[in-house]
Amino acid sequence: MPDPAPGGTLRPATTADIATLAALKLACFRETFLDGFGIPYPPADLARFETESYGEGRIAAELADTSHATWVCEADDGTLLAYAHAGPCKLPHPEVTARSGELYQIYVRGHAQGLGLGRRLLATSLDWLGTHFPGPLWLGVWSGNEKAQTVYAAAGFRKVGDYHFMVGEHRDAEFIYRRD
């Protein structure tokens, strides 16, 4: 059910969103890690990662997988401003079980930050995860993203481990967070 509110309508993503969602995911990744944090990914690694992670085929597969859920925030003009993606936990931690859910991604375009979209997406994602995965909830967050870590801590998550998130052959240091 769509959730209209100031800043846009929050709704589940559909197959009609594949192309625009792929573009949104790519734009958010670039705004956050290239423009925002200035991570100097090697060009070949970056190109491979972007194709594998944000290609329309990948987005279509995520939307078709019934163990996953994706939501978007859409402006009145139809522009996608933000998204969240959740599903079964795939983080490399010894306490992860089949009953564990993970918040994979939650991003808001830079020009739409401050509208409360991230807060709404986080609440929606956590509600869905709590309903579909009775075990602890998990997420990975880049070690240099202190703002996100503060938001997740305020939502009841705590750091329980580390791992490397691969961008091609480039290894990003990530933290594993869990909420019981």
Side-chain angles (χ1 to χ4, degrees):
M1 178 72 130
D3 169 21
T9 298
L10 188 154
R11 63 174 176 78
T14 70
T15 55
D17 297 314
I18 291 170
T20 53
L21 181 56
L24 173 67
K25 286 187 168 199
L26 179 60
C28 287
F29 170 77
R30 288 178 174 173
E31 280 181 2
T32 302
F33 295 101
L34 303 181
D35 300 339
F37 291 113
I39 300 175
Y41 294 114
D45 289 333
L46 180 62
R48 181 172 137 207
F49 175 77
E50 289 181 343
T51 299
E52 291 173 357
S53 300
Y54 306 121
E56 290 184 21
R58 171 69 174 263
I59 305 310
E62 291 172 359
L63 293 177
D65 187 336
T66 59
S67 69
H68 289 230
T70 300
W71 302 268
V72 294
C73 288
E74 182 177 33
D76 292 340
D77 68 1
T79 303
L80 297 185
L81 303 171
Y83 76 95
H85 177 211
C89 187
K90 55 186 171 62
L91 290 168
H93 191 279
E95 295 173 15
V96 168
T97 71
R99 299 167 53 90
S100 300
E102 179 182 350
L103 176 58
Y104 301 132
Q105 299 163 323
I106 184 167
Y107 286 97
V108 178
R109 292 294 309 262
H111 67 275
Q113 292 184 6
L115 299 175
L117 303 178
R119 183 180 67 253
R120 290 170 53 208
L121 284 166
L122 181 60
T124 298
S125 301
L126 295 179
D127 286 348
W128 183 86
L129 283 164
T131 300
H132 291 81
F133 296 94
L137 302 182
W138 301 78
L139 60 85
V141 60
W142 180 56
S143 59
N145 193 341
E146 294 175 7
K147 180 179 176 184
Q149 294 166 32
T150 299
V151 169
Y152 297 139
F157 285 88
R158 62 186 172 80
K159 182 180 179 241
V160 295
D162 305 277
Y163 78 110
H164 287 105
F165 182 87
M166 301 303 293
V167 175
E169 297 300 316
H170 179 89
R171 296 165 26 135
D172 275 343
E174 298 269 328
F175 295 150
I176 297 173
Y177 276 52
R178 179 177 69 207
R179 184 172 102 165
D180 296 316

